[in-house]
Amino acid sequence: MPIFNFDNSYLQLSDKFYREVKPNPAPHPELLLLNKDLMKDLDLEVLDENELVKILSGNGIVEDSQPIAQAYAGHQFGHFTMLGDGRAILLGEHLTESNLRFDIQLKGAGQTPFSRRGDGKAAVKPMLREFLMSEAMHNLGVPTSRSLAVIITGEPVYRETVLDGAVLTRVMSSHIRVGTFEFARYFGGIEEVRELMNYTINRHFPELNDAQNPALALLEKVMDLQMDLIVNWLRIGFIHGVMNTDNTSIPGETFDYGPCAFMGIYNPETVFSSIDRDGRYAFGNQPNIIKWNLSRWAETLLSLIDPDEKKAIELATEKINSFDEIFTQKWWEMMFAKLGISNPKPGDDDLVNELLRLMELHQKDYTNTFTYLRMPEIFDENQFFLDEKFEAWIQKWKSRIKLENGGTNFAFELMKKQNPVLIPRNYYVEKALDEAEKSDFLFFHSFLDLLKTPYEFLPEMKEFLQTPDEFDSNYMTFCGT
Ligand code: AMP
Ligand code: MG
């Protein structure tokens, strides 16, 4: 019985959009991680694990799989360039029993025509990191690519040192990105954009086929999904780290987990990525960047929005200009909900602003601050916020949420859904990865397990709420090659 139920709709696109490739066989594949929950979600039944390892290590091409590398371009740190899957190979689109379609992609299975000078391979630690972070994001309720397995290849990869090679299986509703449209527009032409747009609409948003202006409707829809995604990131303190247009997904999922990290102490300027020297992708700049990326995307759609260029620019600009107002509205709603407020009143915005200001001023942890409001008892020192201004703020907030429909209890219920207790803090992520790299997965698995219920406080979580002073201020992340 085949493991995957593959279909390959992407191959219907003209052959500019991809190259057929073969994964590089792994000499000594060994399964390090398998995501049983995801297997279930995908209706994958594995009778023979060896068979699965063979497929996911690139050692056996499955029936119905026509592996391809996808072409795409993108703006990296603002500069436009040709890219493409240089170390990723799409095995096929798996259809679940209820006909949901997911890309099954191998990351690190060797070179493709888009590899340029890269080796197409991946080292084990960044792949474990992607597994951990993407699963944590999924359990935090944020749309994301997922990770099905990590397999060690038995082949060395050469970076600054010699490392163990690995292949990660990435699962995503599709890998269509802003950069795919940029490729179609600037390395093809308007017919290619039309082809890609029709494919995207049929695959992800079939209801838009009936829209009066499908291109404009698609712009609006994806803008909305991306705004919701960024609001989610801001809600949980997530910093993507490399929001290039090739890493901006059209179906609105978080992906490319290279340099991402979670913010501890609240500061909108927080950056961890070693190459983001100007803070382009800083925590608080993520809304500006997504708007910029969506603008680059809108430019590729212009002739489909209206054949009259002036009219098209007018319509697209109007949509893009609506970003600020809609995003701001969504952001406030999210911040109010973090404080337990579902029916905002005048003055509530001051409450939010003041809390953020106090957090920044007193260098308080973003996640723990919201947890403290609801459950001060779980923190050791009741000194958490002994500052007078904080105390005054808390009193003000307490009297405010009493006025909510359902009172404080309802407010707390809402807060519980909005504010994770446990996030994958950088210190513990690194500890889990360092130990796993030395083949000790005990900590990795217990951490991953706790991250399955991040909104539910468990006593075992307590030790994961604090990290050594100064760890984050020296922490640096890297684009995972
Ligand atoms: P990323 O930073 O992962 O978004 O990758 C940017 C571009 O570099 C994409 O085209 C990747 O496919 C390519 N790339 C990254 N790492 C490698 C590698 N080891 N070998 C070949 N191409 C790579
Ligand atoms: Mg990428």
Side-chain angles (χ1 to χ4, degrees):
M1 210 179 78
I3 294 170
F4 292 103
N5 177 22
F6 275 140
D7 184 60
N8 299 293
S9 71
Y10 211 76
L11 294 165
Q12 294 160 13
L13 288 173
S14 46
D15 54 16
K16 273 198 188 72
F17 283 99
Y18 57 86
R19 299 277 195 292
E20 295 203 26
V21 289
K22 283 208 166 44
N24 180 46
H28 304 290
E30 208 180 297
L31 184 64
L32 279 188
L33 293 172
L34 182 62
N35 190 338
K36 298 253 164 75
D37 296 340
L38 181 55
M39 299 260 297
K40 230 180 267 155
D41 295 352
L42 295 175
D43 303 318
L44 292 178
E45 206 187 326
V46 176
L47 301 175
D48 180 358
E49 211 169 88
N50 288 332
E51 194 56 28
L52 183 70
V53 171
K54 210 164 126 187
I55 297 165
L56 300 185
S57 61
N59 278 328
I61 301 296
V62 220
E63 236 178 286
D64 299 331
S65 158
Q66 275 174 279
I68 56 169
Q70 294 180 329
Y72 56 86
H75 279 85
Q76 298 193 304
F77 288 87
H79 303 286
F80 185 67
T81 181
M82 176 62 201
L83 295 159
D85 285 334
R87 58 156 179 172
I89 294 177
L90 181 66
L91 290 185
E93 299 148 26
H94 168 72
L95 296 175
T96 65
E97 280 160 22
S98 44
N99 244 0
L100 297 173
R101 183 180 293 270
F102 292 96
D103 276 6
I104 306 291
Q105 191 194 60
L106 301 185
K107 218 172 145 178
Q111 285 173 321
T112 76
F114 304 112
S115 294
R116 291 168 291 170
R117 273 159 297 163
D119 58 3
K121 293 180 186 167
V124 65
K125 203 167 161 182
M127 295 304 101
L128 293 174
R129 190 171 200 277
E130 171 155 347
F131 191 106
L132 185 72
M133 298 306 275
S134 61
E135 286 310 300
M137 288 291 273
H138 172 74
N139 292 320
L140 283 160
V142 183
T144 175
S145 70
R146 297 195 64 189
S147 302
L148 183 63
V150 176
I151 289 171
I152 198 159
T153 59
E155 216 170 33
V157 295
Y158 300 95
R159 298 292 181 257
E160 268 148 34
T161 54
V162 184
L163 302 165
D164 286 331
V167 177
L168 172 116
T169 309
R170 178 159 73 181
V171 178
M172 211 170 160
S173 75
S174 88
H175 286 81
I176 306 171
R177 345 153 169 243
V178 166
T180 318
F181 279 83
E182 293 179 292
F183 168 78
R185 181 67 191 87
Y186 305 117
F187 292 90
I190 200 57
E191 281 320 307
E192 280 78 6
V193 184
R194 190 189 310 279
E195 194 187 346
L196 180 63
M197 180 186 80
N198 290 339
Y199 176 80
T200 304
I201 288 180
N202 288 330
R203 179 159 175 181
H204 293 293
F205 315 107
E207 67 283 3
L208 299 187
N209 272 315
D210 300 330
Q212 208 187 0
N213 185 334
L216 201 61
L218 182 64
L219 177 58
E220 184 172 315
K221 176 74 197 172
V222 173
M223 252 176 80
D224 200 57
L225 290 172
Q226 281 293 343
M227 285 192 264
D228 287 341
L229 184 66
I230 305 303
V231 167
N232 259 315
W233 291 358
L234 300 183
R235 174 174 65 81
I236 60 174
F238 178 77
I239 306 167
H240 182 281
V242 61
M243 290 174 70
N244 295 330
T245 57
D246 52 300
N247 294 332
T248 299
S249 122
I250 297 298
E253 292 171 353
T254 312
F255 83 123
D256 198 320
Y257 280 93
C260 72
F262 276 76
M263 175 176 70
I265 289 169
Y266 174 72
N267 182 343
E269 288 172 15
T270 308
V271 169
F272 292 108
S273 167
S274 59
I275 55 171
D276 190 5
R277 290 191 194 90
D278 303 324
R280 181 180 171 91
Y281 301 138
F283 178 75
N285 206 30
Q286 298 183 114
N288 295 330
I289 290 296
I290 204 64
K291 183 181 174 189
W292 193 87
N293 289 354
L294 289 165
S295 307
R296 303 291 76 73
W297 184 48
E299 285 162 5
T300 72
L301 295 172
L302 285 177
S303 345
L304 303 181
I305 291 175
D306 201 287
D308 172 355
E309 196 186 347
K310 218 174 129 211
K311 184 84 195 291
I313 292 176
E314 226 173 77
L315 289 169
T317 307
E318 193 189 341
K319 273 280 172 277
I320 295 287
N321 284 348
S322 70
F323 180 99
D324 293 352
E325 197 184 327
I326 304 172
F327 186 88
T328 306
Q329 170 88 21
K330 286 177 190 277
W331 183 85
W332 279 111
E333 212 172 283
M334 176 275 288
M335 288 307 291
F336 290 144
K338 274 177 89 67
L339 290 180
I341 297 169
S342 43
N343 295 297
K345 297 186 196 306
D348 287 346
D349 45 353
D350 290 340
L351 211 55
V352 171
N353 284 333
E354 203 182 328
L355 179 64
L356 292 175
R357 206 177 53 77
L358 286 168
M359 255 191 248
E360 195 173 346
L361 191 71
H362 296 278
Q363 306 209 335
K364 292 295 177 198
D365 185 276
Y366 185 64
T367 299
N368 286 345
T369 298
F370 289 99
T371 305
Y372 177 84
L373 296 179
R374 195 166 58 87
M375 298 188 291
E377 68 282 359
I378 71 169
F379 293 93
D380 278 343
E381 356 63 298
N382 251 347
Q383 317 281 319
F384 201 78
F385 286 123
L386 266 192
D387 171 77
E388 262 173 42
K389 284 197 175 129
F390 254 123
E391 284 300 335
W393 181 90
I394 287 176
Q395 291 319 317
K396 224 181 339 179
W397 165 73
K398 279 187 176 159
S399 9
R400 168 61 187 88
I401 57 169
K402 277 192 195 134
L403 306 176
E404 280 291 293
N405 289 339
T408 304
N409 285 348
F410 269 59
F412 276 22
E413 280 307 306
L414 179 61
M415 289 172 78
K416 189 176 167 187
K417 290 189 208 132
Q418 297 296 319
N419 300 305
V421 178
L422 185 68
I423 51 167
R425 289 176 187 280
N426 305 321
Y427 176 80
Y428 296 103
V429 170
E430 290 307 315
K431 178 174 158 66
L433 296 177
D434 284 342
E435 292 178 13
E437 205 186 20
K438 294 180 196 127
S439 303
D440 180 356
F441 277 84
L442 212 64
F443 183 77
F444 187 98
H445 282 297
S446 54
F447 192 33
L448 194 62
D449 256 1
L450 287 177
L451 286 165
K452 281 186 183 171
T453 55
Y455 296 94
E456 193 71 51
F457 175 69
L458 303 171
E460 308 92 281
M461 288 177 178
K462 207 165 158 176
E463 65 170 299
F464 294 91
L465 305 187
Q466 313 287 348
T467 58
D469 288 348
E470 301 301 309
F471 184 85
D472 274 3
S473 45
N474 299 315
Y475 188 57
M476 240 189 225
T477 57
F478 303 90
C479 287
T481 51

